[in-house]
Amino acid sequence: MTGLEALGMGMASAATIPPPLRDGGRGKKIVVLGAGLAGLTAAYELQRAGYQVSIVEARSIAGGRCQTARRGFALTELGGITQRCRFDEGLYFNHGPWRIPYHHRSTLHYIKTFGIPVELVNNDNDASYIYSTRGKGRLASRPVRKMEIEADIRGRSAEILAKVVQAGSLDRTFDAADKELFLAYLEAEGYLTGVDRDYAGTSGRGWRVKPGAGLHPGAPSTPYGLLDILHSNAWKTLSSVPDWDSPRTMFQPVGGMDALAKAFVDRLPGQIHYETRVEKIRQSDKGVEVSLIDPTGARSMLAADWCVCTIPLSVLKTIDHGFAEPFAAAMNGASYHPVGKIGLQMKSRFWEEKDWLYGGHVYTDDDDISLISMPSHGWFSQKGILLGYYQGGGNAAKISALAPDQRTEMALAFGEKIFHDYRSSFETAISVAWHLVPYSLGGWAEWSDEARVRDYPKLLQPDRRIYLAGEHLSYLGGWQAGAIESAWMQIDALHKRASSDSL
Amino acid sequence: MTGLEALGMGMASAATIPPPLRDGGRGKKIVVLGAGLAGLTAAYELQRAGYQVSIVEARSIAGGRCQTARRGFALTELGGITQRCRFDEGLYFNHGPWRIPYHHRSTLHYIKTFGIPVELVNNDNDASYIYSTRGKGRLASRPVRKMEIEADIRGRSAEILAKVVQAGSLDRTFDAADKELFLAYLEAEGYLTGVDRDYAGTSGRGWRVKPGAGLHPGAPSTPYGLLDILHSNAWKTLSSVPDWDSPRTMFQPVGGMDALAKAFVDRLPGQIHYETRVEKIRQSDKGVEVSLIDPTGARSMLAADWCVCTIPLSVLKTIDHGFAEPFAAAMNGASYHPVGKIGLQMKSRFWEEKDWLYGGHVYTDDDDISLISMPSHGWFSQKGILLGYYQGGGNAAKISALAPDQRTEMALAFGEKIFHDYRSSFETAISVAWHLVPYSLGGWAEWSDEARVRDYPKLLQPDRRIYLAGEHLSYLGGWQAGAIESAWMQIDALHKRASSDSL
C-alpha cells in the first residue's frame, strides 16, 4: 500500500491524471461528438497527443450540462418555452453541476492545469435549517437549526448509552478500563456533565443569550427532548459522517462552473462546430462518417479515422447511429434522471443578514423542493441568487410540467414558510428541467443493478471505430469527474488500438 | 421572541451594530490609547459622532494583535531576537487572529461596512488527520483520517445502542412507535444495515478502491474496531456538534487578517501617533493628560476631555497610570495566556497534492504542537504557509524559550511524522510567542471564576475620565469581536456621560 492507501483514501481506480498517450496520434483524424466535459476532455487530450480533432456540438455553447446562467443566457425546453435570464450583471447560477468534491482528482486536475480560480463551497452548514413537513410535534413544519438537532439527539443518545453502560449492561462487552474509555468518549461526544453523565445542552447548539462584552457571560439554551426530535423527522438529515459523494469540503470555480468548459474551449481554437446536429453516423473498416446539419439547415459530411461519441444515451438513441446489436439495445439500459433546479434572484441577502446563514442548504422532506441552497460567494454583498429547489425523479417530472412562472410561485410559496423576506425580496428567476433540455434529456444516467450487469459493460467496448464516453459510462454518474474519467478511459483504449493499427 | 430568537440564535447580548451616539461629540477631545481593534473601533465611531480623536500607538503599525506576516515583516520578542519574514512575495501568515466565526456579527459588521473581501475558512475538514501520541494500539502514533473515526465510533456506538433497544432494555423509556423511530434514527446516523442493524462501514469513511469510470464500482473500506479507536484516543477530537467558538462556518479576509485593521486606519487619516509610548497618565476633574515618548525619545503631553484606554492589562500594569484603588488592583485579576504559533513556508503544497487536504487542521494531543493547519487560500498554487503549531499555556511558555530555529526544528520534527515531504519542502519560518511580544505580553486575557466576580466588573466602570476597552473586558476573550464589542459598550457609556456633562 502507498501512504495514501494506508491513510484511508483507497487504492487508485478513480483516475487522477490523464492517460499517457505514448508515441502520439500522428495526425490521425478524430471526430468528437458533443462538447460537454467528456468531449472536451477527449478532444483536448487527443489533440495534445497529435491527433487531428474536430468537435461537433449541437448547442451554440460548449460545456454540455456544465452551464452557468447569467444575464442574457437563454434556455429553451422541449415544448418551446424560452426563458431568458434577467439576473443583474455579475450575478450567476450554476443550474448544472455546481460543486466539486475535494476527492474528484480528475476534475481538479484540470482546475489546476488551467489555473482556474476556485473557492470553497459551504456544503454543510450546521447553522442551517431543517424544515420537516411530514413530521409531527413542536419541531415539525418550522425551521429548526441543524446544530440544535445534532447536539440534542446525539447528546441524548450518548446519555442513554452512558447510563446503560454505567448500569453494567455491557460489562460482558468491555473490561473495566475499556468501559471507562467508552464512557469518556460518550461524555465528550455528547457533552455529558456531572457524575450521572446527563445531557444538558451545549454552546454549539446556540445560546439563549449570547456571550458578549461587559457583564454578558451568555445564558445557555435549553435542549429539545428526544421525543420531540424523533417525532419531527428532523434527525433524518443527520449521519455520522457525510457521504463520500457529498463531503463538507467542496470547491466551485470563482464566477461560475462554466469556467471549466471555457478553459477547454480556449485550448481548442476553431475546432468546435457549434449549432451542428448529428443526423447519421456510419462506419466502415477504415473510418467513421458523420452526417451533419448546420444552423442554416445545410447538410455536410465529416469523415474521421475514429470517433468519440459523448452524446447522452437519451439523445443518441434518437439519432440514426447505425450501431450493431446488441450494442444499440444496451443503450436502453440507462434511464435518464429527471432533475429540476431554480435560481431565484433576491434583492437582499436576508439569509445572511437576518438568519446568519452563509452557504449551506435548508434541508426539507418536501420532495418538490428538497433543498434550498444559499450561495457560497458574494458574501456580504447586496443581492444574491438562491437555489430555490433541487428535485429529482417524479417530483422533477411533475414540477417541469408547470410554466416557469408557476415553478417560481411554487418555490416562493415554500421558501416564505422559512424566510420572512423570501417573497418580498424576490426579483427574477430561471428554472431548468434537465429532462426537457434538448441535447441532454435528463440530469444524468441511472442504471439499475441488472442493467449495470447486462448492458453497461457492452457500452464500454467500442462499436467498431466509435468509443462512447460520458458520465453515463462511470460509477460517478452525474458528476463532471465521471465524464472526464470516462473520456480518459476511452481515449486510452482508442489510442492503444490506433497505435497498433499503424504499426 | 423575535424570529431569530425563536430559531435558536439566542437573544441579543453580543452586540451586532455600534451604539448610536446621539447628538454627537461636539468636538470634544478624546485620546485613545492603543490602535488595536478596540482602539480603532472606539476612535472610528467616536470620530464619526463628531469627537476630536487622537490615537496613541506604541508600535509602528496599527492592529494590535491583528497582524499578518509577509515578506519584510519584522517581529522582535522580549529578549531582543528579531525575526524578519522571508516568505515569497504573495504568501502570508496570520500569526494573530485568523478566523472569524459566522456569528461574530460585530467583526462582520465592519467587514461588510468597509467592503473587505472575505473567503471561507475550512475549519473542520473530515479528511484531515488525527495524530494521537498518547494513545495505544494500531491507530495511535500514526495519522488517521478524522472521517474514519467519525464513521466508525459513531457507527459502532449506534450499533450497540440499537441492539440494546432491540433487546427491549429501553421499553420503559419508549413506546413501540417511538422505539421504531429511535431505531430508525440510529440506523441513519450510524449507517447500520441488515435486520440486526450492524455497522459494516460506509462510503463517507473512504473506499478501499474508489469508484471511477468503466468497470470500477468501488470496493468498500473496512471499519476499525471499537477498541482500537478507544485505545487510540483519536475519539477525543470528536463532538456531536462543534463548540460555539469554533463553528465550521468561518471567514478570513482575502490576503490577510490585517486588512481589517488597515480599513480602519484608512478612515482615521493622520490621527494615529505611531511608535509613541505612554509614560504616564494623569486625570483631573476636567480631563486627562497623557505623557508620551516619541520614537526620537522626545517627551510630549496630550490632553483630552476623555480617554479610552485599550492597552492590554498585562502592559497597562507596567505604566504609571495613576488609577485609584481598587481599580488598579483589579487589573491583577487577569492573567495573560501564553500562545505560540509558527508559519512554515513550504515549496510545494504536498498536503493538497498527496494527502488531498484542503484546509482544516491536523489534530494532535502533543501539546507542544496542538494543531497543524492547512491554509484555506491559494488552492492549487505552488507554495503555501502551514501553521506548524498553535500551543498555549505552559507548552507555549516552554517553546518560547527556544531560539526561532529551534522552534522550527521542533515543528518540523513533528510534522514529518505525518507528512513525508514536511522537512524537504520546508523553506522558511516565522514564529511568534505572544507573551513575549512587547505591547501585547500575552495572547489574550484569562479570568478565573473568582476574578470574574471580584475584579472584572470593576474594570468595566471608568476610572474617572478613563474607560478601559479590549477583548479582556468581554466574554469573547481572544476574539476580535470581544475587542470591538467592548469598545462599543464603553464608548456608549462614555458618550452618555459626556453628553449629560455638556447639558
Side-chain angles (χ1 to χ4, degrees):
Chain A
M1 291 210 296
T2 70
L4 204 56
E5 289 153 25
L7 295 173
M9 297 314 279
M11 280 186 276
S13 164
T16 60
I17 52 168
L21 303 180
R22 292 187 210 292
D23 303 323
R26 298 171 196 173
K28 284 192 193 103
K29 284 190 185 167
I30 307 266
V31 60
V32 173
L33 304 182
L37 284 194
L40 291 168
T41 298
Y44 171 75
E45 296 296 343
L46 289 168
Q47 172 195 257
R48 285 184 68 217
Y51 288 92
Q52 193 182 319
V53 181
S54 299
I55 310 163
V56 176
E57 171 54 50
R59 293 188 174 96
S60 60
I61 54 168
R65 283 155 275 178
C66 171
Q67 298 184 4
T68 299
R70 296 183 188 78
R71 187 171 193 82
F73 174 85
L75 195 145
T76 303
E77 293 177 1
L78 298 183
I81 293 173
T82 294
Q83 296 176 73
R84 200 164 295 277
C85 181
R86 300 183 196 284
F87 294 161
D88 286 10
E89 290 291 347
L91 299 180
Y92 64 88
F93 174 58
N94 293 320
H95 55 286
W98 50 314
R99 301 172 293 187
I100 307 173
Y102 73 94
H103 52 66
H104 279 187
R105 311 308 301 171
S106 51
T107 312
L108 295 173
H109 165 79
Y110 289 113
I111 292 289
K112 177 166 182 170
T113 300
F114 299 155
I116 299 169
V118 293
E119 60 199 348
L120 289 173
V121 174
N122 193 3
N123 194 45
D124 186 24
N125 187 342
D126 295 301
S128 193
Y129 298 130
I130 302 168
Y131 190 97
S132 169
T133 62
R134 287 187 240 150
K136 293 190 169 62
R138 69 187 190 100
L139 302 181
S141 298
R142 52 163 279 207
V144 181
R145 298 221 183 238
K146 189 180 181 198
M147 61 197 194
E148 298 175 333
I149 301 301
E150 289 174 310
D152 293 350
I153 196 163
R154 288 180 179 151
R156 302 252 180 233
S157 298
E159 180 182 28
I160 292 171
L161 187 48
K163 288 183 198 302
V164 167
V165 172
Q166 278 172 302
S169 305
L170 293 166
D171 284 359
R172 279 186 300 181
T173 309
F174 295 114
D175 68 22
D178 292 339
K179 179 175 166 177
E180 283 312 307
L181 278 176
F182 191 52
L183 286 169
Y185 157 66
L186 293 171
E187 211 171 279
E189 164 79 358
Y191 294 97
L192 309 184
T193 53
V195 286
D196 289 337
R197 298 192 170 88
D198 296 316
Y199 174 66
T202 182
S203 71
R205 75 182 302 291
W207 294 80
R208 186 169 64 79
V209 182
K210 287 185 298 301
L215 294 169
H216 293 293
S221 57
T222 306
Y224 300 134
L226 179 59
L227 293 184
D228 281 336
I229 298 174
L230 288 176
H231 295 168
S232 75
N233 282 352
W235 53 267
K236 290 193 176 180
T237 59
L238 304 192
S239 58
S240 59
V241 73
D243 271 330
W244 178 253
D245 271 355
S246 201
R248 281 192 267 256
T249 305
M250 290 186 138
F251 290 105
Q252 62 190 0
V254 173
M257 187 59 85
D258 62 350
L260 180 55
K262 285 177 179 165
F264 277 108
V265 170
D266 289 345
R267 287 157 181 85
L268 294 162
Q271 287 161 265
I272 307 179
H273 305 269
Y274 290 106
E275 296 183 71
T276 301
R277 288 186 295 118
V278 175
E279 190 180 27
K280 193 165 74 175
I281 308 170
R282 287 295 178 267
Q283 305 185 57
S284 71
D285 290 348
K286 306 275 182 202
V288 181
E289 286 184 341
V290 185
S291 304
L292 304 174
I293 307 181
D294 79 7
T296 69
R299 288 184 158 77
S300 64
M301 183 78 81
L302 192 58
D305 299 305
W306 305 93
C307 173
V308 178
C309 176
T310 70
I311 298 171
L313 300 178
S314 48
V315 178
L316 186 56
K317 286 193 288 191
T318 69
I319 292 173
D320 179 4
H321 47 63
F323 293 142
E325 293 297 344
F327 191 94
M331 294 199 294
N332 294 315
S335 63
Y336 271 67
H337 194 53
V339 172
K341 291 172 82 174
I342 192 166
L344 305 169
Q345 178 174 315
M346 297 294 183
K347 69 183 171 201
S348 76
R349 296 171 79 95
F350 52 82
W351 58 91
E352 296 184 355
E353 281 300 300
K354 299 192 176 175
D355 299 88
W356 306 7
L357 289 182
Y358 298 89
H361 320 291
V362 173
Y363 304 92
T364 178
D365 57 4
D366 181 323
D367 293 333
D368 285 346
I369 298 289
S370 182
L371 285 185
I372 294 174
S373 291
M374 282 60 73
S376 284
H377 62 270
W379 310 117
F380 302 100
S381 58
Q382 185 55 46
K383 298 186 176 186
I385 312 293
L386 287 180
L387 170 70
Y389 60 64
Y390 185 20
Q391 356 77 356
N395 300 83
K398 179 180 80 179
I399 301 306
S400 67
L402 302 176
D405 283 353
Q406 293 174 302
R407 298 177 191 173
T408 301
E409 172 54 33
M410 191 279 294
L412 294 179
F414 186 87
E416 70 183 337
K417 295 186 207 173
I418 297 170
F419 298 99
H420 178 267
D421 299 344
Y422 208 80
R423 186 180 290 273
S424 61
S425 185
F426 169 73
E427 293 186 323
T428 180
I430 189 164
S431 62
V432 63
W434 277 106
H435 45 294
L436 300 183
V437 173
Y439 315 122
S440 296
L441 300 182
W444 53 81
E446 292 193 314
W447 297 92
S448 65
D449 290 347
E450 295 75 11
R452 277 281 188 196
V453 172
R454 186 187 62 223
D455 302 316
Y456 175 83
K458 295 197 179 85
L459 302 181
L460 298 174
Q461 299 301 318
D463 179 295
R464 287 162 286 168
R465 294 182 157 261
I466 301 179
Y467 289 76
L468 304 193
E471 55 82 20
H472 47 287
L473 296 179
S474 79
Y475 282 88
L476 301 166
W479 292 101
Q480 297 177 124
I484 294 169
E485 290 172 40
S486 168
W488 284 353
M489 174 171 278
Q490 297 298 60
I491 61 172
D492 191 32
L494 184 161
H495 176 72
K496 283 184 177 126
R497 195 161 139 224
S499 300
S500 67
D501 249 24
S502 60
L503 294 177
Chain B
M1 292 210 297
T2 70
L4 204 56
E5 289 153 25
L7 294 173
M9 297 312 279
M11 280 187 276
S13 165
T16 60
I17 52 167
L21 303 181
R22 292 186 210 292
D23 303 323
R26 298 170 194 172
K28 286 195 193 100
K29 284 189 185 168
I30 307 267
V31 59
V32 173
L33 304 182
L37 284 194
L40 291 168
T41 298
Y44 172 75
E45 295 297 343
L46 289 169
Q47 172 195 257
R48 287 185 68 218
Y51 288 92
Q52 193 181 321
V53 181
S54 300
I55 310 163
V56 176
E57 171 54 50
R59 293 188 172 94
S60 59
I61 54 168
R65 281 155 278 178
C66 171
Q67 298 183 5
T68 298
R70 294 183 190 79
R71 188 172 194 83
F73 175 83
L75 195 144
T76 303
E77 292 177 1
L78 298 183
I81 293 173
T82 294
Q83 296 174 73
R84 199 164 294 277
C85 181
R86 299 182 197 285
F87 293 161
D88 286 10
E89 290 291 347
L91 299 181
Y92 63 88
F93 173 59
N94 293 320
H95 55 286
W98 51 314
R99 301 173 293 187
I100 306 173
Y102 73 93
H103 53 65
H104 279 187
R105 310 310 300 170
S106 51
T107 311
L108 295 172
H109 166 80
Y110 289 113
I111 292 290
K112 178 166 181 169
T113 300
F114 299 155
I116 299 169
V118 292
E119 59 199 349
L120 289 173
V121 173
N122 192 2
N123 195 45
D124 187 24
N125 187 341
D126 295 302
S128 192
Y129 298 130
I130 302 169
Y131 190 97
S132 168
T133 62
R134 287 188 241 151
K136 293 190 169 63
R138 70 186 189 98
L139 301 181
S141 297
R142 51 162 281 206
V144 180
R145 295 215 184 244
K146 189 180 181 197
M147 61 197 193
E148 298 175 333
I149 301 300
E150 289 174 309
D152 293 350
I153 196 164
R154 288 181 179 152
R156 302 255 180 231
S157 298
E159 181 183 27
I160 291 171
L161 187 47
K163 287 182 197 305
V164 167
V165 172
Q166 279 172 302
S169 305
L170 294 167
D171 284 1
R172 279 186 299 183
T173 309
F174 295 113
D175 69 23
D178 293 338
K179 178 175 167 178
E180 284 311 307
L181 278 177
F182 191 51
L183 286 169
Y185 157 67
L186 293 171
E187 212 171 280
E189 164 78 359
Y191 294 98
L192 308 183
T193 54
V195 286
D196 289 338
R197 298 191 169 88
D198 296 316
Y199 174 66
T202 183
S203 72
R205 73 182 303 290
W207 294 80
R208 186 167 63 78
V209 181
K210 289 185 297 301
L215 293 169
H216 293 293
S221 57
T222 306
Y224 300 134
L226 179 58
L227 293 184
D228 281 337
I229 298 174
L230 288 176
H231 295 167
S232 75
N233 283 350
W235 52 267
K236 291 193 174 180
T237 59
L238 303 191
S239 58
S240 59
V241 72
D243 271 329
W244 179 252
D245 271 354
S246 201
R248 280 192 268 256
T249 306
M250 291 185 138
F251 289 105
Q252 62 190 1
V254 173
M257 187 59 83
D258 62 351
L260 181 55
K262 286 177 179 166
F264 277 108
V265 170
D266 289 347
R267 287 156 181 86
L268 294 162
Q271 286 162 267
I272 308 179
H273 304 269
Y274 290 106
E275 297 183 68
T276 301
R277 289 186 293 116
V278 175
E279 191 180 26
K280 193 165 73 173
I281 309 171
R282 288 295 177 268
Q283 304 186 58
S284 71
D285 290 348
K286 304 274 180 204
V288 182
E289 286 184 340
V290 185
S291 304
L292 304 174
I293 307 181
D294 79 7
T296 69
R299 289 185 156 76
S300 65
M301 182 78 81
L302 193 58
D305 299 305
W306 306 92
C307 173
V308 178
C309 176
T310 69
I311 299 171
L313 300 178
S314 48
V315 177
L316 187 55
K317 287 194 287 189
T318 69
I319 292 173
D320 178 3
H321 48 63
F323 294 141
E325 294 297 346
F327 191 94
M331 294 200 294
N332 294 315
S335 63
Y336 271 67
H337 194 53
V339 173
K341 291 172 82 174
I342 193 167
L344 304 170
Q345 178 175 315
M346 297 294 183
K347 69 183 172 201
S348 77
R349 296 170 80 96
F350 52 83
W351 59 93
E352 295 185 354
E353 281 299 300
K354 298 191 176 176
D355 299 89
W356 306 6
L357 290 182
Y358 298 89
H361 319 291
V362 173
Y363 304 92
T364 178
D365 57 4
D366 181 323
D367 293 333
D368 287 346
I369 299 289
S370 182
L371 285 185
I372 294 174
S373 291
M374 281 61 72
S376 283
H377 62 271
W379 311 116
F380 303 100
S381 60
Q382 185 54 47
K383 298 186 176 186
I385 313 292
L386 287 180
L387 171 69
Y389 59 64
Y390 186 21
Q391 357 75 357
N395 300 84
K398 179 180 78 178
I399 301 304
S400 68
L402 301 176
D405 283 355
Q406 293 174 303
R407 298 177 192 172
T408 302
E409 173 53 34
M410 193 278 295
L412 294 178
F414 186 86
E416 69 183 337
K417 295 186 208 173
I418 297 169
F419 298 100
H420 178 269
D421 299 344
Y422 207 80
R423 187 180 289 273
S424 61
S425 186
F426 169 72
E427 293 186 322
T428 180
I430 190 163
S431 62
V432 63
W434 277 105
H435 46 294
L436 300 183
V437 173
Y439 315 121
S440 296
L441 300 182
W444 52 82
E446 292 194 313
W447 298 92
S448 65
D449 290 348
E450 296 76 10
R452 277 281 188 197
V453 172
R454 186 187 61 222
D455 302 315
Y456 175 84
K458 295 197 178 89
L459 302 182
L460 299 174
Q461 299 301 319
D463 180 294
R464 287 162 284 169
R465 294 183 158 260
I466 301 178
Y467 290 76
L468 304 193
E471 54 84 19
H472 47 287
L473 295 179
S474 78
Y475 282 88
L476 301 165
W479 292 101
Q480 297 176 123
I484 294 168
E485 290 171 40
S486 168
W488 285 353
M489 174 171 278
Q490 297 297 60
I491 62 173
D492 191 32
L494 184 161
H495 176 72
K496 284 183 177 127
R497 193 160 141 225
S499 302
S500 66
D501 249 23
S502 60
L503 293 176

